[in-house]
Amino acid sequence: MAFLALGINHKTASVDVRERVAFTPEQLVEALQQVCRLTPSREAAILSTCNRSELYLEQDELAADDVLRWLADYHHLDHDELRACAYVHSEDAAVRHMMRVASGLDSMVLGEPQILGQMKSAYAVAREAGTVGPLLGRLFQATFSTAKSVRTDTAIGENPVSVAFAAVSLAKQIFADLHRSQALLIGAGETITLVARHLHEQGIKRIVVANRTLERASLLAEQFGAHAVLLADIPQELAHSDIVISSTASQLPILGKGAVERALKLRKHKPMFMVDIAVPRDIEPEVGALDDVYLYTVDDLHEVVAENLKSRQGAAQAAEELVSVGADEFMLRLRELAAVDVLKSYRQQAERLRDEELARAQRLLANGAAAEDVLAQLARGLTNKLLHAPSVKLKKISAAGRFEALAVAQELFALDEGSPPDKP
């Protein structure tokens, strides 16, 4: 039984590498089943977001190199390139890492709440794939419980700091008065929903939501009085958009340089602010070279995020302490569970011996033996049988010079305190 957490994130890998290691929703079930089939992993879950791709595994023996090779092969990457930016955590450290991630302590935006929902989705997908068993399942539940404690017992999530909030903060720096601006939001997921909420709260003039399905775009648009369109309608909307923020799961860019150039001409080169939160990227990098375009990726948001995090730094230490307590308690419970099978077998053996001696005593009573003699024989017989196997084993252990085992036996049987047996 061994826990393993490995992967890459925004601290260790560039957006170029992260988008190549990202898993699409359609790939997850197959990838989970494959990693359990081709590596020594018995249980597995995959968390893949714009800022990280991580595998959480339970294995008989730790085999990080096998998993890293599988991950590189799956995404057609050079093994050494992946290993150079990957991190590996095992056992207690893996537990602590999962809890830190779920609590937002390892995020680009300290304490951001979306990661917990993403972690719960990763767990749900792994259950659907049949790759989560009792051990990893217990770890996920303990992780969710610890993250909830961090959220409710510290101030780490009080201020609306997120990648979405950082994007809107940047927009406010470029367009001082958002009441006169129009925003085009591409996608309809959780991040875009947060962007829409922040823009709505800032009183932006108009929001257009573009998505692959009109139904999903309409559901989001209704919440904020926005207008819903299809992705195919983006060229028409682009010329009217001062702010463009995109976050989809598309494997190919949605916005190219040519489309933006045409929109700029129609806008008479009025500036456009664009943020590409997606991994892989939704907006071609060449768009950033155009005059009058301010293009930011998730990696570019670091500076804005840092400014917005100052109010959360004080709560981070308290959150780290809660994570430490949660990890320690989980490992303690797990170690206690390891004794359950042994205790169960020992109890079954003791009950079998008890039943044998009790049956013998009942036969003696039925044959007219004195109750006092039968009880005494029952006590002696049960004591001798219960002590026989441990006595034989202890003599063999002592003969082999394993005196540390004798000290453990003394503690196990709760014998009187005293010095361990002396070596002859």
Side-chain angles (χ1 to χ4, degrees), residues 227-250:
H227 180 60
V229 300
L230 291 168
L231 294 181
D233 299 319
I234 288 176
Q236 289 81 8
E237 297 294 339
L238 204 56
H240 308 292
S241 303
D242 306 299
I243 299 166
V244 179
I245 301 177
S246 187
S247 179
T248 76
S250 174

Side-chain angles (χ1 to χ4, degrees), residues 236-274:
Q236 289 81 8
E237 297 294 339
L238 204 56
H240 308 292
S241 303
D242 306 299
I243 299 166
V244 179
I245 301 177
S246 187
S247 179
T248 76
S250 174
Q251 293 302 293
L252 297 172
I254 290 173
L255 270 181
K257 183 180 179 182
V260 178
E261 282 180 320
R262 289 189 290 273
L264 286 172
K265 288 179 182 178
L266 293 172
R267 289 171 59 81
K268 297 181 180 180
H269 295 277
K270 182 182 176 183
M272 295 179 71
F273 169 70
M274 310 180 82

Side-chain angles (χ1 to χ4, degrees), residues 22 119 138 155 159 177 181 185 250 274 321 326 337 344 354 361:
M119 183 81 85
R138 286 192 184 98
N159 297 311
D177 187 3
S181 302
L185 307 184
S250 174
M274 310 180 82
E321 291 174 2
L337 284 173
K344 183 178 179 181
R354 176 204 63 196

Side-chain angles (χ1 to χ4, degrees), residues 290-406:
L290 295 174
D291 292 335
D292 305 313
V293 171
Y294 299 88
L295 175 61
Y296 293 82
T297 68
V298 286
D299 289 348
D300 297 322
L301 297 179
H302 277 290
E303 186 175 343
V304 178
V305 166
E307 288 298 318
N308 294 334
L309 291 180
K310 290 181 180 178
S311 62
R312 296 192 176 191
Q313 295 298 336
Q317 183 58 43
E320 293 284 6
E321 291 174 2
L322 286 174
V323 166
S324 292
V325 170
D328 290 345
E329 288 182 349
F330 173 77
M331 293 304 294
L332 177 62
R333 289 195 301 271
L334 200 64
R335 293 184 183 108
E336 289 173 347
L337 284 173
V340 169
D341 289 341
V342 175
L343 289 170
K344 183 178 179 181
S345 297
Y346 184 62
R347 176 174 289 278
Q348 288 174 343
Q349 182 189 65
E351 289 175 347
R352 178 177 56 80
L353 295 175
R354 176 204 63 196
D355 292 342
E356 290 175 359
E357 290 303 310
L358 183 59
R360 179 179 287 107
Q362 289 171 337
R363 288 195 299 271
L364 290 172
L365 288 172
N367 292 331
E372 184 176 338
D373 294 338
V374 171
L375 287 174
Q377 185 171 340
L378 171 64
R380 286 194 303 273
L382 187 56
T383 299
N384 289 337
K385 286 195 172 184
L386 288 173
L387 290 178
H388 175 72
S391 298
V392 172
K393 292 293 184 182
L394 283 172
K395 288 177 181 178
K396 289 183 177 179
I397 287 171
S398 181
R402 295 170 55 193
F403 300 105
E404 73 287 350
L406 292 178

Side-chain angles (χ1 to χ4, degrees), residues 22-38:
F23 291 87
T24 66
E26 294 77 18
Q27 290 176 315
L28 283 173
V29 170
E30 178 210 4
L32 285 165
Q33 294 171 347
Q34 193 178 114
V35 74
C36 286
R37 188 171 66 252
L38 300 180

